Amino acid sequence: MVTVVNSKADVLKAAQALSVNLNAAKGLQEVMKSNLGPRGTLKMLVGGAGQIKITKDGSVLLSEMQIQHPTASMIARAASAQDEFTGDGTTSSVMFIGELMKLAEQSLAEGLHPRLIAEGFEIAREETVKFLDTFKIHIDDPLKEREKLVCVARTSLRTKIAPNLADPMAEVVVDAVRTIKKDDQPLDLNMVEILHMKNKLVTDTRLIKGLVLDHGARHPDMPKRLENCYILTANVSLEYEKSEVNAGFFYSSAEQREKLVDSERKFTDEKVKKIIELKKRVCTEENKKSFVLINQKGIDPPSLEMLAHEGIIALRRAKRRNMERLPLAVGGIAVNSVDDLDVDDLGHADLVYEQSLEDDKFTFIEGVKHPQSCTVLIQGSTDHAIAQMKDAIKDGLRAVQNCVEDEAIVPGAGAFEVAAHVHLEQFKRSVEGKPRLGVEIFGKALLVVPKTLLENSGMDVQEKLLRVLADRENKQKVVGVSISSGDPIDPAIEGIYDNFLVKKQMLGLAPVLAEQLLLVDEVIRAGKSMKSDGGMQG
């Protein structure tokens, strides 16, 4: 046989190519399998410099692991896309792809053509998506259904962190999303600041209806704690600036130099005086108000001195994101100039105080009237505990956001997979010809989720799964698997709900990728260096 490909290229023909792809999918499935569900185990990732990350979040694992195999990294990328889009469901996607490939292997060995299996997958996928639409539970106004949202967040978080942490965190993320939701506007999760302080225990993580800034006042004489505060959010430079052009000043006596220095400072001092005038106007002896200035640009020492003298807490160089969050949290407007300052520009908070941790200072702004921005303050004693919480909180927020946007939820605990399997068993009778085998494989592959949930709980998989399936077939009610006993349960009573969007995305991504991998019949590995010496050789 004369090959047209560069003689140095590695070529894998049909059967080999398929087995390479199948093995990659199965291998990745084996790795991820033990992580699924609340009873899943943890993985410890150690970086090149000895950094440690302990996680069981599928997306973190896939992004941190260095995957060499081309097919495996393709599956990992698809799962990561699922995470970017929905924030959850990565482990399920990888498992589902692996299971589809694993079950297809037997039919392929018997001589069934991959194209027919792929056709069957496609028919089954469309039918399952239709079935998902009928299976979901519609919620009219999710934000009012706090209990349902907490259930969705709890289901998502329990698969990532320990249950004793997941339950309080579920309430934190739901309250955070309910705080920032504005009518008729899409949710912007950036309005929830996630900040970590390395102290206390992870269980001390809490939601602050207000803001926490990760730096403190820059002057030792400024008050550390103020109550009943007006807050001015500004983006004004309060520091002496050199002239834009390189100008030289010549003076013949010391007095002239003094005058020059004074006039240069005067420009900045005028701005500071305007802020102090406003403070004197709004903070009187009677109303016992105090004043806080939070500035995005710099404030130089003489200006700080003037502000400290008036008992104002001044923070400089706040993050741009915080300048967006502040007016939402405390009210008022972010001002870009100190001319025409008015009481209406000011926000309000009951309490502003500073807390120091070693060299770091944190400023807390609490007791806000109508917050539309808030802070999740993560506390923990070790870096990896904080990192794990951070990933979990982000996913929890996404789960609640999906639920609010979908206005629907799906019963969890493997209930959808069991129901879809039973539905496809009926549906395959209407499919003619060989694609029916593809539909059958798809239906069986769906069971990988309840199977693995049982396996990770240390149950007898076959016996328990058959009982759950029998329950669904005979009674036609919604049944999931219990991770504590393995018996059939009603997810609604247990409060186990999944995101509709996550399931839909999984059905959109996984089967399509599995079809593509099945239809690959030749893998050619030719790098640049091979092309350079001699190009095509016959």
Side-chain angles (χ1 to χ4, degrees):
M1 176 188 125
V2 178
T3 172
V4 196
V5 184
N6 171 352
S7 58
K8 289 188 183 168
D10 301 340
V11 181
L12 296 172
K13 283 284 176 278
Q16 277 173 308
L18 255 177
S19 75
V20 164
N21 286 350
L22 289 168
N23 288 335
K26 287 195 298 195
L28 207 52
Q29 182 194 13
E30 280 304 311
V31 174
M32 305 291 285
K33 202 174 186 177
S34 57
N35 291 12
L36 187 77
R39 289 286 184 93
T41 49
L42 295 163
K43 297 263 186 288
M44 181 161 138
L45 300 167
V46 183
Q51 325 88 309
I52 290 177
K53 199 161 196 179
I54 293 179
T55 182
K56 63 175 186 179
D57 180 358
S59 65
V60 176
L61 266 174
L62 291 173
S63 58
E64 300 270 342
M65 282 196 305
Q66 291 185 339
I67 301 174
Q68 301 286 327
H69 197 292
T71 314
S73 67
M74 199 166 139
I75 297 171
R77 261 186 239 133
S80 297
Q82 158 108 8
D83 180 71
E84 273 166 39
F85 193 67
T86 62
D88 205 355
T90 34
T91 315
S92 314
S93 286
V94 172
M95 309 259 313
F96 189 39
I97 294 173
E99 196 68 10
L100 284 168
M101 303 288 281
K102 203 190 293 183
L103 294 171
E105 192 175 9
Q106 294 163 341
S107 301
L108 292 169
E110 288 162 13
L112 183 63
H113 195 281
R115 172 59 71 193
L116 296 169
I117 296 183
E119 265 174 43
F121 281 179
E122 202 48 43
I123 296 167
R125 188 176 72 84
E126 283 170 18
E127 184 61 28
T128 314
V129 171
K130 276 186 211 154
F131 175 68
L132 177 62
D133 272 335
T134 59
F135 192 72
K136 70 180 182 185
I137 301 168
H138 185 72
I139 307 174
D140 289 327
D141 188 356
L143 284 171
K144 290 194 177 124
E145 300 266 354
R146 182 170 182 272
E147 198 44 50
K148 286 263 196 303
L149 288 178
V150 171
C151 287
V152 171
R154 194 188 305 136
T155 308
S156 169
L157 286 171
R158 276 187 173 181
T159 62
K160 295 173 185 13
I161 47 180
N164 60 338
L165 289 175
D167 298 358
M169 286 312 106
E171 308 220 350
V172 164
V173 294
V174 170
D175 289 341
V177 171
R178 289 180 67 190
T179 303
I180 62 166
K181 179 71 176 124
K182 291 190 213 161
D183 298 337
D184 311 324
Q185 284 190 19
L187 260 174
D188 180 7
L189 288 183
N190 285 321
M191 290 303 109
V192 179
E193 165 83 304
I194 299 178
L195 224 132
H196 61 273
M197 286 172 72
K198 201 169 166 183
N199 74 330
K200 297 194 184 167
L201 297 169
V202 187
T203 41
D204 293 320
T205 299
R206 62 197 174 107
L207 176 73
I208 292 168
K209 295 262 179 92
L211 269 189
V212 183
L213 307 174
D214 51 4
H215 50 78
R218 278 280 173 267
H219 194 286
D221 297 345
M222 285 187 178
K224 295 279 182 259
R225 178 187 179 94
L226 288 178
E227 291 177 16
N228 208 358
C229 319
Y230 276 125
I231 295 178
L232 173 64
T233 310
N235 182 13
V236 181
S237 173
L238 297 178
E239 52 191 342
Y240 160 65
E241 289 178 14
K242 289 198 170 71
S243 56
E244 296 272 322
V245 284
N246 279 337
F249 291 105
F250 299 95
Y251 41 83
S252 52
S253 69
E255 285 86 45
Q256 283 180 332
R257 184 176 178 281
E258 286 296 312
K259 273 186 185 166
L260 179 73
V261 172
D262 285 349
S263 60
E264 283 187 326
R265 281 256 14 125
K266 192 175 164 202
F267 177 64
T268 307
D269 289 349
E270 285 297 309
K271 291 191 205 169
V272 180
K273 279 178 185 151
K274 281 185 179 159
I275 292 172
I276 292 173
E277 271 168 35
L278 173 71
K279 187 246 172 185
K280 285 180 174 163
R281 217 170 52 235
V282 296
C283 302
T284 55
E285 283 296 317
E286 292 86 62
N287 64 12
K288 292 274 192 310
K289 293 271 190 188
S290 50
F291 200 89
V292 178
L293 164 68
I294 295 172
N295 194 10
Q296 189 182 334
K297 293 205 169 82
I299 307 176
D300 61 5
S303 308
L304 282 170
E305 185 72 46
M306 290 163 72
L307 293 165
H309 188 67
E310 291 294 328
I312 296 174
I313 292 185
L315 296 169
R316 64 183 181 190
R317 307 216 180 277
K319 289 192 302 203
R320 207 186 112 249
R321 270 276 175 227
N322 280 338
M323 303 314 278
E324 289 173 30
R325 293 183 186 120
L326 260 165
L328 286 171
V330 299
I333 306 165
V335 295
N336 287 321
S337 129
V338 289
D339 303 328
D340 315 320
L341 286 177
D342 199 6
V343 184
D344 300 340
D345 298 335
L346 301 174
H348 182 270
D350 290 344
L351 181 62
V352 174
Y353 62 94
E354 191 180 292
Q355 189 176 332
S356 298
L357 261 189
E358 293 173 5
D359 297 342
D360 299 329
K361 288 180 178 176
F362 293 88
T363 306
F364 288 73
I365 301 172
E366 292 187 35
V368 188
K369 293 277 184 338
H370 307 290
Q372 285 185 316
S373 174
C374 54
T375 303
V376 176
L377 184 67
I378 297 176
Q379 307 204 7
S381 47
T382 57
D383 285 339
H384 67 255
I386 291 174
Q388 196 180 350
M389 278 306 275
K390 235 179 184 170
D391 291 333
I393 295 269
K394 280 183 183 152
D395 285 354
L397 287 168
R398 293 289 291 278
V400 179
Q401 180 190 21
N402 292 339
C403 183
V404 171
E405 288 175 356
D406 293 338
E407 297 191 344
I409 49 179
V410 177
F416 165 67
E417 286 80 1
V418 169
H421 167 76
V422 173
H423 177 74
L424 285 176
E425 288 290 303
Q426 303 286 327
F427 170 73
K428 75 176 184 196
R429 294 172 194 166
S430 64
V431 179
E432 291 186 2
K434 287 181 180 171
R436 179 190 286 198
L437 295 166
V439 177
E440 194 174 325
I441 290 170
F442 194 95
K444 276 187 188 158
L446 279 169
L447 288 180
V448 70
V449 172
K451 257 188 206 164
T452 312
L453 283 173
L454 287 168
E455 195 177 310
N456 288 350
S457 309
M459 306 289 166
D460 180 335
V461 180
Q462 273 72 25
E463 182 197 343
K464 301 286 186 189
L465 190 62
L466 288 169
R467 275 179 62 187
V468 174
L469 286 172
D471 246 35
R472 172 72 192 172
E473 282 163 359
N474 302 335
K475 300 177 188 162
Q476 283 301 312
K477 61 175 187 179
V478 176
V479 279
V481 293
S482 159
I483 54 163
S484 50
S485 63
D487 296 330
I489 52 165
D490 181 349
I493 296 170
E494 302 283 332
I496 303 171
Y497 292 110
D498 286 333
N499 276 145
F500 169 70
L501 187 66
V502 173
K503 298 283 181 208
K504 192 168 179 183
Q505 187 73 0
M506 182 177 103
L507 290 171
L509 271 177
V512 175
L513 186 57
E515 284 166 36
Q516 285 176 336
L517 293 177
L518 283 174
L519 294 175
V520 169
D521 70 345
E522 201 160 318
V523 177
I524 303 170
R525 189 181 192 140
K528 281 252 167 34
S529 60
M530 296 175 182
K531 289 177 189 164
S532 57
D533 46 37
M536 289 285 198
Q537 295 178 355

